[in-house]
Amino acid sequence: DLVIENQTALLFDPDDELSIYAILKKLLDEHERARHLAANAQDLIRRDHTVSRMVDNMLEIYRRAASPPAAAAPITSPASTVD
């Protein structure tokens, strides 16, 4: 959720050297685009990945792990008919 293509990062094929080269060249040639991607990434981290949010998420995980599993609804059979 940190890497959002064309908003916080540019993606490339890690197995393709030309793909990596093309992205790096694009970032070096387009300074404003590089600044925009960096600013978006910083904003995202400041907004969605604060220490208090991480603590809240961990506490929620602990609460779920500590709470008993939800009780299953009792199985009922169809009403029997008496002749």
Side-chain angles (χ1 to χ4, degrees), residues 26-56:
K26 184 179 290 194
L27 289 172
L28 291 171
D29 291 345
E30 300 175 23
H31 299 278
E32 192 56 37
R33 184 172 189 181
R35 284 189 198 96
H36 183 72
L37 290 169
N40 285 345
Q42 289 175 346
D43 290 344
L44 178 74
I45 289 170
R46 286 187 185 115
R47 184 185 68 234
D48 295 343
H49 298 277
T50 64
V51 171
S52 61
R53 184 169 288 205
M54 289 187 301
V55 168
D56 288 344

Side-chain angles (χ1 to χ4, degrees), residues 10 13 24 37 39 42 47 57-58 66 82:
L10 297 178
D13 180 355
L24 290 174
L37 290 169
Q42 289 175 346
R47 184 185 68 234
N57 289 342
M58 287 302 292
V82 177

Side-chain angles (χ1 to χ4, degrees), residues 68-83:
I75 300 174
T76 58
S77 59
S80 57
T81 57
V82 177
D83 292 359

